Amino acid sequence: MSETRVSKRMARLSPSMTFAMNALSNELKAKGIDVVNMSLGEPDFNTPEHVKAAAREALDENYTHYTPVPGSVSLKNAIIGKLQRENGLTYTPAEILVSNGAKQSLCNAIMALIDEGDEVIIPAPFWVSYPQMVLLAGGKPVHVDTGIDQDYKMTPEQLEQAITPRTRMLVLCSPSNPSGAVYSKEELEALSAVILRHEGLLVLSDEIYEHLNYVGAHASIASCPGMWERTIVVNGVSKAYAMTGWRIGFLAAPKWIVSACNMLQGQYTSGPCSVSQKAAEAAWNGPQDCVEEMRLAFKRRRNLLVGLLREIPGLEVALPEGAFYLFPKCSSFFGKTDGTRVIKTSTDLAMYLLEVGHVATVGGDAFGAPDYFRLSYATSEENIKEGAKRMAKALALLK
Ligand code: PMP
Ligand code: GLU
């Protein structure tokens, strides 16, 4: 075919760097190179047994047909129970929409609410997909820089300054991917005070790392006074229950928002996989000790990796309060060389670490923070030790 034109919409998008670095790592592995993969953020644990049993039962009972578009009634009730029990938030079934992972929930909300030219405030560092989803919707991502010096958290003053008459939404991720920063209830209340001064400003609150919190109780901005009406809460089973492949996430929001997202999903993908819905129901309704076990393992790994990386000259490493990522500052290596290549950006550094050190990470450029890079510690303690050793060796070659 002579013409291979894709839509103009596609020209706005760039590929997901998290998946891209994971793919590069897998390519090297396929060539027989032993790579320590710290690029992709996904729990290395297995899905808990009682969850898998629920899925097997669903299959045996032929629960294999279309479900309602917004998810089965029993799963929505399990989510309503979770939101009440864990977050003190009250929702009705018409205020819940289950999707193919939290990723689709986020995209649903953005596509349903953002018009051409609407501004969406995204504190940087941010998860790679937020600005891409906003661009897909025709909106304008507005980045607010936060760095290691302010614990990677946006202040109320920074928020106030970023708001214009075109601002429609703020995307908040706590605990954060990629920085691991966790906003306290007080900090969320201070941000809420700013938000409530601006009519029509909504918050898309990504709480997918809720349970990977090493400092205390999770706070949802939806529970701050006056914020329930303004907030779209997004969460799912991927991280808390080691269920990334099952693809179940949800959004909880006022009915007018859920109705719009439901219509979109009904034309686009329908309800998510029926068997996965049964599994997710078991995860939310079942015993929760598996979540705590995984949290404690991640906390040990965090402490281990932070300790090892702090010994490497040139890296500035914060102790993150949540999620399973470190986001060290690495700009001291810019302009340095190993004799064959010059490191100019954090992506150059990630490529160098992959090709020379055989450790897969992700450069901070894709996260809107070019002076940093991201490592996922959702891997074994053995891999963490080996990865840190290789990084120390490779970085020491840069002069
Ligand atoms: N939000 C953040 C911040 C994430 O890191 C991820 C992980 N991919 C998601 C959302 C999407 O998760 P899910 O697997 O439920 O689509
Ligand atoms: N959340 C994970 C990460 O950031 C999975 C990859 C993705 O969905 O981008 O690595």
Side-chain angles (χ1 to χ4, degrees), residues 49-62 246 275 278-279:
E49 282 308 320
H50 68 279
V51 172
K52 291 194 281 191
R56 281 188 205 103
E57 202 177 311
L59 276 176
D60 290 342
E61 288 174 1
N62 294 308
W246 298 80
V275 174
K278 282 289 180 200

Side-chain angles (χ1 to χ4, degrees), residues 174-195:
S174 175
S176 155
N177 176 6
S179 71
V182 174
Y183 285 85
S184 68
K185 183 85 196 238
E186 292 70 33
E187 286 164 337
L188 292 174
E189 275 167 4
L191 293 176
S192 302
V194 176
I195 291 157

Side-chain angles (χ1 to χ4, degrees), residues 75-281:
L75 176 56
K76 286 208 277 182
N77 283 333
I79 292 169
I80 288 167
K82 173 257 177 288
L83 288 164
Q84 190 72 64
R85 184 175 71 239
E86 296 184 339
N87 310 108
L89 294 169
T90 305
Y91 290 93
T92 63
E95 293 160 344
I96 306 287
L97 178 75
V98 188
S99 304
N100 294 291
K103 209 171 207 170
Q104 190 186 12
S105 305
L106 293 162
C107 206
N108 272 342
I110 289 170
M111 293 301 281
L113 292 164
I114 298 307
D115 266 326
E116 204 70 33
D118 280 350
E119 292 176 10
V120 178
I121 297 175
I122 308 178
F126 45 71
W127 181 47
V128 293
S129 296
Y130 302 141
Q132 299 292 320
M133 291 172 182
V134 171
L135 290 170
L136 192 61
K140 185 176 163 214
V142 175
H143 301 165
V144 173
D145 289 327
T146 75
I148 194 165
D149 301 335
Q150 56 187 89
D151 296 329
Y152 310 97
K153 290 189 227 180
M154 183 179 60
T155 63
E157 294 73 30
Q158 284 182 301
L159 174 60
E160 186 70 73
Q161 271 178 10
I163 296 173
T164 75
R166 295 295 325 244
T167 310
R168 181 76 171 121
M169 182 183 272
L170 160 69
V171 181
L172 211 58
C173 180
S174 175
S176 155
N177 176 6
S179 71
V182 174
Y183 285 85
S184 68
K185 183 85 196 238
E186 292 70 33
E187 286 164 337
L188 292 174
E189 275 167 4
L191 293 176
S192 302
V194 176
I195 291 157
L196 291 169
R197 280 202 291 276
H198 297 271
E199 209 181 317
L201 176 54
L202 300 167
V203 181
L204 184 54
S205 179
D206 184 346
E207 303 180 19
I208 192 83
Y209 295 97
E210 165 177 15
H211 291 288
L212 302 177
N213 178 328
Y214 314 116
V215 284
H218 171 76
S220 171
I221 195 163
S223 65
C224 294
M227 285 303 294
W228 187 97
E229 288 78 8
R230 301 285 200 106
T231 309
I232 301 114
V233 174
V234 170
N235 209 328
V237 287
S238 284
K239 315 288 167 170
Y241 301 95
M243 291 177 67
T244 45
W246 298 80
R247 312 306 306 132
I248 296 291
F250 69 85
L251 62 77
K255 192 177 165 191
W256 66 274
I257 296 175
V258 171
S259 301
C261 294
N262 188 16
M263 183 155 67
L264 183 65
Q265 185 164 302
Q267 295 291 16
Y268 220 74
T269 58
S270 314
C273 166
S274 57
V275 174
S276 294
Q277 289 192 50
K278 282 289 180 200
E281 198 179 315

